[in-house]
Amino acid sequence: MSNKEAEKTEQLIQFYKEDTAGENLQALIHQMKKTIFLIPAMLPDTPEINEIKQKVKDNPGVKINLPKGTAPMPAILTNQNGGKFFPIYSTKEQIPKEPKFDLLMNMPFGACCSFAMDERLEVEGIALNPFTDNLLFKKPMLEAIKKADEEAKKSVKQIQMTPKQFQIMMRQRAELHDFPARAFQEGVEFVQRLSDEKEAVVNEIYQNAYQNHELNPYEESNFSVMALNISEELLLVRVDLPPINESAQLCYRVYVTLNPKTEEIHYFTIERGRGKDERNLCGVNKEGKHIEYGEAPVEGVEIQRIIDIIEGEKEAAN
């Protein structure tokens, strides 16, 4: 089981408990679908099974196969109102030491839902981490989740993507998502590293974006980075990118700026527009929103236009 996915689930549980807004619930359910949950279970009380239990006790850590047809039963919980729920746990730490159970089953959320919906189990729904968070997902909600999943599967269309289309998509991801995301998340340290290590840092971003290195057409020599100390309050890094040979919304170059005094960062792009020969000055803010500033000026005036935008934002803030 991926501890990382379980940690994300537990984090979103806390977000939802603090604010039960619909979007927080949707985010939690979306994450739960990627999480493998732990289910305490009991084995049938038969002489054969009791013998196996003793073997497990005498040989901890040794894998012992159950007899064919043996079905573990989850430990159903009953609340103070007499309602029965199927308990699922995000991590072992969430499971109480008592009552004792025979084994732990690993189960994805979809399987947990199907299990809880089985009429033979006679439960009202799922209890997530019942001894700590105690989030209840009753059958009507489980049915809604199942229906939404079925509708989503119907609406998904199989798209055949050519290697060239994949390359364009990954380049867009690098220029309009990964690059600005790292600038804002890593802050001053990233901009200083970009200023010092130049093309190596840009190449690293593209390699990470493409994932499949065989389909990455670029290498370090395809990029050009120049750092300019405009003033005590402005370090500007110009990054020239590979030529655009496709009619796609890609960047000719990007500018990353840093105010060393306030640690404020900006990310600007010179992009190919939708029309022929159209070039636009755009940007991405720290929330990941794409911003359009209009037609790009001639190359020699780009830096001045960027400085004007930054100064304008500063004056508006004051």
Side-chain angles (χ1 to χ4, degrees):
M1 182 177 66
S2 171
N3 289 330
K4 187 176 180 181
E5 299 298 346
E7 288 172 5
K8 288 181 182 178
T9 294
E10 293 193 339
Q11 185 180 41
L12 289 174
I13 289 172
Q14 299 312 312
F15 288 162
Y16 175 66
K17 289 172 67 177
E18 292 171 8
D19 181 359
T20 56
E23 56 265 28
N24 287 345
L25 176 60
Q26 290 298 324
L28 173 58
I29 292 173
H30 178 73
Q31 176 57 34
M32 289 173 69
K33 292 176 183 178
K34 298 188 287 184
T35 305
I36 303 297
F37 290 93
L38 299 174
I39 318 297
M42 302 298 293
L43 293 170
D45 188 14
T46 65
E48 186 179 16
I49 294 298
N50 289 334
E51 183 179 343
I52 290 175
K53 289 181 185 179
Q54 188 61 46
K55 287 183 180 179
V56 172
K57 186 177 180 181
D58 296 339
N59 302 277
V62 176
K63 183 178 179 181
I64 297 177
N65 295 323
L66 293 174
K68 188 175 180 180
T70 301
M73 284 299 297
I76 303 303
L77 296 180
T78 304
N79 63 18
Q80 295 177 344
N81 300 321
K84 294 182 178 181
F85 287 86
F86 174 42
I88 66 175
Y89 301 87
S90 52
T91 61
K92 285 185 179 180
E93 290 72 23
Q94 295 284 352
I95 304 173
K97 295 181 180 179
E98 296 292 340
K100 298 291 186 182
F101 54 88
D102 294 327
L103 55 84
L104 274 178
M105 296 188 294
N106 294 327
M107 194 176 291
F109 183 61
C112 294
C113 291
S114 298
F115 212 96
M117 295 292 289
D118 191 325
E119 295 297 334
R120 293 172 296 179
L121 209 58
E122 297 182 339
V123 297
E124 293 184 26
I126 287 173
L128 171 58
N129 295 339
F131 295 94
T132 53
D133 304 306
N134 196 31
L135 292 187
L136 303 182
F137 296 83
K138 294 190 176 182
K139 283 187 176 181
M141 180 180 289
L142 300 181
E143 289 173 354
I145 293 172
K146 181 181 178 182
K147 184 177 180 180
D149 287 344
E150 291 174 349
E151 292 298 324
K153 289 178 182 178
K154 290 179 183 178
S155 65
V156 173
K157 297 179 180 179
Q158 295 296 321
I159 300 175
Q160 295 295 327
M161 185 177 293
T162 67
K164 178 58 70 176
Q165 289 172 325
F166 174 82
Q167 289 174 350
I168 292 172
M169 185 176 70
M170 291 301 100
R171 177 167 170 174
Q172 287 175 329
R173 171 181 167 177
E175 296 167 358
L176 300 175
H177 180 269
D178 294 5
F179 202 155
R182 286 194 58 179
F184 289 115
Q185 290 171 9
E186 299 177 30
V188 175
E189 181 181 349
F190 174 82
V191 181
Q192 293 291 357
R193 184 174 167 229
L194 176 63
S195 176
D196 294 337
E197 300 179 28
K198 296 183 169 60
E199 292 82 7
V201 176
V202 182
N203 188 49
E204 175 187 295
I205 293 169
Y206 276 69
Q207 285 184 335
N208 290 339
Y210 275 85
Q211 298 174 357
N212 185 340
H213 292 182
E214 293 181 0
L215 292 175
N216 180 6
Y218 308 118
E219 54 188 30
E220 196 171 313
S221 61
N222 293 119
F223 307 103
S224 177
V225 179
M226 178 175 62
L228 300 170
N229 285 295
I230 305 297
S231 68
E232 292 182 354
E233 296 185 359
L234 183 61
L235 167 63
L236 181 144
V237 184
R238 167 175 165 154
V239 181
D240 286 286
L241 303 172
I244 300 174
N245 300 318
E246 301 83 9
S247 57
Q249 190 177 5
L250 298 170
C251 300
Y252 296 100
R253 66 185 136 273
V254 303
Y255 292 92
V256 182
T257 71
L258 166 69
N259 184 329
K261 292 186 177 181
T262 64
E263 299 188 354
E264 184 178 21
I265 291 171
H266 285 82
Y267 184 88
F268 296 96
T269 61
I270 305 296
E271 299 178 9
R272 184 190 188 284
R274 294 176 180 85
K276 185 178 180 181
D277 299 326
E278 183 182 338
R279 296 161 68 94
N280 296 321
L281 172 59
C282 304
V284 179
N285 66 16
K286 61 182 178 181
E287 285 80 30
K289 181 181 179 182
H290 186 260
I291 303 169
E292 295 186 2
Y293 296 104
E295 185 179 352
V298 296
E299 184 175 341
V301 189
E302 287 173 356
I303 292 178
Q304 185 58 53
R305 176 77 178 104
I306 286 170
I307 293 173
D308 292 342
I309 292 172
I310 295 173
E311 291 297 324
E313 291 181 359
K314 189 187 300 182
E315 291 176 6
N318 295 331

